[in-house]
Amino acid sequence: MPKLKSLSLALVASLVSLSVSTAEAAPSNLQVFYYNQSDPFIANFNQDLLEQAKLNNVNVKSYDATDDAFKQSEQIDLVLSKKNNNDPLLLNLVDTSYAKTIAQNLRESNSAPIIFFNRAVDPQVIKSNATLWYIGADAFSSGIYQTEILIDYLKSHQGSDRNQNGVYDLVLLKGEANHTDAIERTQATFDSLNESGLDYKVDFTANANWDFQKAFDSMDRAISKLTINNIDAVICNNDAMALGAIMALNQYGYNLKDGDAKKFIPVVGIDAIPDALEAIRDGRMLGTVCNDSERMSQIALQIINLNTRDENLVSKTIGLPVKDHQIIVPYLKVQTKAR
Ligand code: GAL
């Protein structure tokens, strides 16, 4: 055999063996740590994830921290301290600063992807180890989208300044005080309102911590304080709170299913959870923005299947830009029902 040919064959053989040894088999187990599974958006994400996992033959074991940071650190530490553990992890942290501790505790043998999602973690932590990834969304744009939905409605509906005082009187229900999504969505709401040229006043605001019941209580207080005739619209940092606010309005005969159009106060949320989509369909709610949990869970499974550290490969596979192992999934405006 000519020398050149045998050399190139040897090269091919060594490349083949190289690719065999570096391309590890896709893992078949996934461990997921949720901050709180009673949060409807998280419960919805979990449904999406289980569907994706089934399609990919991946077994999912999940842990619910019930919004308790200490409990979650114990759950995570127990898994990471198991010697032979090399399952991929999906982490939705109660306390995002715990990401640093997790990164510091990783061993050489932890080669499978570890993916943070939903709650933004420090980008420096993600950069500190090539197995780490973050899947999130640009919260600011969701605040813009939901406020645009409301502004379009107010501008196109005569009589939307219900007490005709020349000012739109608003109620604003926010998520957890220190949560990036709550801060950015609220800021975006103010920026969009200021740019809209509408005269508005936020007459009542509260942190209802993403929660249906807390939002119901807050809205009840808002109505008692302002009276129902002096509220023109309700903006909520998420759908669970929008649905709680709607329930409070229902007590006053407002925003009922297929109800009187004169007894409708526009309420907007974010997430597009199934209950909110139903409320929009039956005329109780004005609109929402899709926080795309289906796409996020699909991307998580794609990274796990690739079992790679290569962000160009991930970017090509998922069809989205990836920078420093951070993936930002776009929000989608959800069509509102005209009232
Ligand atoms: C947000 C979502 C909220 C809540 C929160 C929890 O992205 O819109 O509904 O689930 O995450 O971190």
Side-chain angles (χ1 to χ4, degrees), residues 151-211:
I151 291 168
D152 284 351
Y153 175 91
L154 295 176
K155 286 190 170 169
S156 61
H157 281 73
Q158 273 208 343
S160 54
D161 172 13
R162 301 179 58 249
N163 63 4
Q164 299 191 339
N165 64 349
V167 175
Y168 284 110
D169 294 290
L170 308 177
V171 171
L172 174 63
L173 299 183
K174 298 178 287 190
E176 284 166 89
N178 296 321
H179 197 300
T180 319
D181 291 0
I183 296 166
E184 301 230 334
R185 288 171 185 171
T186 301
Q187 187 57 49
T189 288
F190 282 113
D191 286 5
S192 316
L193 285 168
N194 292 341
E195 271 174 31
S196 72
L198 295 180
D199 281 329
Y200 73 92
K201 195 163 162 264
V202 176
D203 297 309
F204 184 96
T205 185
N207 285 96
N209 293 4
W210 310 121
D211 185 64

Side-chain angles (χ1 to χ4, degrees), residues 90-294:
L90 198 47
L91 296 157
N92 172 217
L93 297 181
V94 178
D95 172 6
T96 52
S97 70
Y98 198 63
K100 197 169 175 186
T101 314
I102 296 170
Q104 282 164 349
N105 289 345
L106 290 179
R107 286 185 291 234
E108 281 289 309
S109 55
N110 291 115
S111 60
I114 297 183
I115 308 168
F116 297 93
F117 75 103
N118 174 252
R119 299 186 151 212
V121 301
D122 180 355
Q124 293 307 323
V125 172
I126 304 292
K127 265 178 144 178
S128 71
N129 189 311
T131 58
L132 303 179
W133 301 86
Y134 171 68
I135 304 173
D138 169 23
F140 194 83
S141 68
S142 61
I144 303 252
Y145 290 165
Q146 76 166 167
T147 315
E148 280 174 358
I149 293 172
L150 179 65
I151 291 168
D152 284 351
Y153 175 91
L154 295 176
K155 286 190 170 169
S156 61
H157 281 73
Q158 273 208 343
S160 54
D161 172 13
R162 301 179 58 249
N163 63 4
Q164 299 191 339
N165 64 349
V167 175
Y168 284 110
D169 294 290
L170 308 177
V171 171
L172 174 63
L173 299 183
K174 298 178 287 190
E176 284 166 89
N178 296 321
H179 197 300
T180 319
D181 291 0
I183 296 166
E184 301 230 334
R185 288 171 185 171
T186 301
Q187 187 57 49
T189 288
F190 282 113
D191 286 5
S192 316
L193 285 168
N194 292 341
E195 271 174 31
S196 72
L198 295 180
D199 281 329
Y200 73 92
K201 195 163 162 264
V202 176
D203 297 309
F204 184 96
T205 185
N207 285 96
N209 293 4
W210 310 121
D211 185 64
F212 176 93
Q213 185 61 44
K214 289 199 174 78
F216 172 83
D217 295 341
S218 299
M219 191 66 209
D220 206 33
R221 272 187 281 128
I223 301 170
S224 304
K225 184 177 161 213
L226 306 170
T227 76
I228 195 106
N229 293 329
N230 292 318
I231 299 171
D232 294 320
V234 185
I235 303 171
C236 302
N237 281 168
N238 78 342
D239 284 346
M241 296 191 293
L243 293 166
I246 289 169
M247 177 100 139
L249 291 169
N250 290 165
Q251 293 185 123
Y252 292 80
Y254 276 72
N255 295 49
L256 293 170
K257 183 175 173 180
D258 302 320
D260 180 352
K262 287 199 196 82
K263 289 195 165 182
F264 177 75
I265 294 176
V267 179
V268 286
I270 292 172
D271 281 340
I273 55 172
D275 285 352
L277 296 177
E278 193 185 327
I280 293 169
R281 271 197 303 273
D282 69 29
R284 286 174 289 139
M285 179 165 164
L286 178 67
T288 187
V289 176
C290 175
N291 192 2
D292 202 345
S293 54
E294 196 179 327

Side-chain angles (χ1 to χ4, degrees), residues 123 126-127 132-134 311 322-327:
I126 304 292
K127 265 178 144 178
L132 303 179
W133 301 86
Y134 171 68
E311 67 180 24
V322 183
K323 177 141 194 307
D324 294 334
H325 281 215
Q326 308 243 3
I327 296 147

